[in-house]
Amino acid sequence: MATVDTAPAELHVPVQTAPHARPATAVRPHPANPIERPEQPEQPERLESSARPELADQPEQTPSTTLIGSVQRAMRLLESVAEHEHGAPAKQLARETGLALPTAYHLLRTLVHEGYLRRDKGLFFLGEAAERLSSSGAQQKRRSTVVEALAHWRDVIGVPVYYAIYRDGEIEVVCVSDTPGNPAVEEWADFRETGHAHAIGQCLLSQLDESARRDHLERHPAQAITPYTVHDNHALLRRLDRMRRMDPVFEQQEYALGTVCAAIPITVGPTAATMAISLPYHQADRLLAATRRLQSEIGQLLGSLAISISI
């Protein structure tokens, strides 16, 4: 398990038209009645349901009749295979799923052909396609945990909250949680190329070794984007050297005028990560307290966060 360190401080159906009714004919008065009755049209013949397919009686559909049986059976086989780490033969799988052996064989061969199962020495195992589904589902669950955590901190602290990591040599903002009343900083300049100018980037770079920092700055050199931005690589490297590895990083108006930010370093195994917050400049006096609150909140959720944060 990864460890997390934080700074302590219609379908269109054509309508079939019914056959035309016969022309109306006059009905002669009954001999016993001297008064003529008004003409009445003959009632059209009652059409059999076979002549009117669109009105034919349809069986009532229930949840069981709308399901595709072969899909259900195939899923039961997949579930059964998943329960056998060391594989299982077709006869055993047929018995466990209550399927006839020929049906089980047919479905197993199909699942093998599609990559959801593999067969080795008469035993069936989960295949690469099934493992990809499992991995994707687990990843979505981990991401959901992080999204929920950010939304919680956003509401409790009353600030936008960001989660970012350093992956494959680039700064990647993974999640942002904000509200109309507390909007996130607008990305007016690419976050990946301006890591030197915002707290998120400086925090991530501070967790790298010197070689990785220099490599990053060779690709994305420091340059002034506001009057407060560190203006060259040497000045930034000196600043990063002075930072204590797990201390929060603060910046004021270096990326966006009128904005202050703070980022808290988080170590997820070998991956550099950070949680950050931002405030408008006129609320700069809230920044320190909000940062400490975020540190405390992260510490209380370390158990679930440690498993979920690397997404």
Side-chain angles (χ1 to χ4, degrees):
M1 180 182 298
T3 58
V4 180
D5 296 329
T6 65
E10 169 170 278
L11 175 63
H12 178 70
V13 179
V15 179
Q16 180 176 348
T17 307
H20 292 294
R22 295 177 180 177
T25 57
V27 180
R28 295 182 181 277
H30 194 280
N33 190 344
I35 301 176
E36 289 189 358
R37 298 176 180 174
E39 294 182 352
Q40 296 182 357
E42 257 185 29
Q43 295 297 322
E45 292 182 358
R46 187 178 186 83
L47 297 176
E48 298 298 332
S49 61
S50 59
R52 302 170 65 191
E54 76 279 10
L55 299 179
D57 291 338
Q58 299 292 331
E60 183 180 355
Q61 289 191 342
T62 63
S64 61
T65 60
T66 58
L67 299 176
I68 301 176
S70 59
V71 174
Q72 290 179 298
R73 292 188 286 271
M75 296 305 294
R76 292 208 304 269
L77 282 170
L78 281 171
E79 291 172 351
S80 184
V81 172
E83 293 176 356
H84 297 280
E85 181 181 355
H86 304 292
K91 289 183 179 180
Q92 180 179 357
L93 296 171
R95 184 172 61 252
E96 292 176 353
T97 55
L99 298 177
L101 186 57
T103 300
Y105 268 125
H106 173 71
L107 291 172
L108 289 168
R109 285 196 300 268
T110 302
L111 290 168
V112 169
H113 180 268
E114 296 298 327
Y116 291 98
L117 295 179
R118 61 182 177 86
R119 186 177 184 180
D120 185 18
K121 299 178 180 179
L123 302 178
F124 291 90
F125 303 82
L126 290 180
E128 291 183 1
E131 292 172 352
R132 285 196 300 271
L133 285 175
S134 175
S135 175
S136 177
Q139 183 177 7
Q140 290 179 15
K141 184 175 181 179
R142 292 195 299 270
R143 181 181 180 88
S144 176
T145 300
V146 173
V147 170
E148 291 173 3
L150 264 63
H152 167 75
W153 297 328
R154 174 202 68 202
D155 295 339
V156 167
I157 306 174
V159 294
V161 184
Y162 313 73
Y163 169 56
I165 62 175
Y166 195 81
R167 177 157 51 193
D168 297 330
E170 298 292 348
I171 293 166
E172 180 180 343
V173 179
V174 180
C175 298
V176 180
S177 186
D178 64 351
T179 64
N182 293 296
V185 177
E186 181 182 356
E187 186 179 355
W188 71 274
D190 194 325
F191 280 148
R192 295 171 300 179
E193 298 178 1
T194 57
H196 64 286
H198 48 71
I200 288 174
Q202 293 177 24
C203 187
L204 293 174
L205 293 173
S206 73
Q207 299 176 60
L208 305 179
D209 58 33
E210 183 176 356
S211 175
R213 292 176 189 172
R214 292 184 179 277
D215 174 73
H216 180 89
L217 293 174
E218 286 179 3
R219 292 179 287 112
H220 305 299
Q223 55 184 314
I225 59 175
T226 79
Y228 305 95
T229 311
V230 62
H231 55 279
D232 60 61
N233 290 355
H234 296 296
L236 178 64
L237 289 170
R238 288 196 300 270
R239 178 189 292 188
L240 295 175
D241 285 338
R242 292 194 299 267
M243 292 180 181
R244 296 175 57 183
R245 179 176 171 81
M246 299 312 296
D247 280 355
V249 175
F250 299 91
E251 62 93 354
Q252 296 191 29
Q253 305 190 95
E254 295 184 46
Y255 174 77
L257 294 176
T259 302
V260 296
C261 302
I264 299 169
I266 300 173
T267 299
V268 186
T271 303
T274 182
M275 293 284 182
I277 60 176
S278 64
L279 284 166
Y281 183 73
H282 68 272
Q283 296 182 23
D285 58 337
R286 292 183 53 205
L287 188 61
L288 181 57
T291 303
R292 289 175 175 170
R293 181 67 184 274
L294 180 58
Q295 286 180 290
S296 174
E297 290 286 330
I298 293 174
Q300 293 174 20
L301 292 178
L302 282 181
S304 61
L305 204 58
I307 300 173
S308 306
I309 203 167
S310 183
I311 53 179

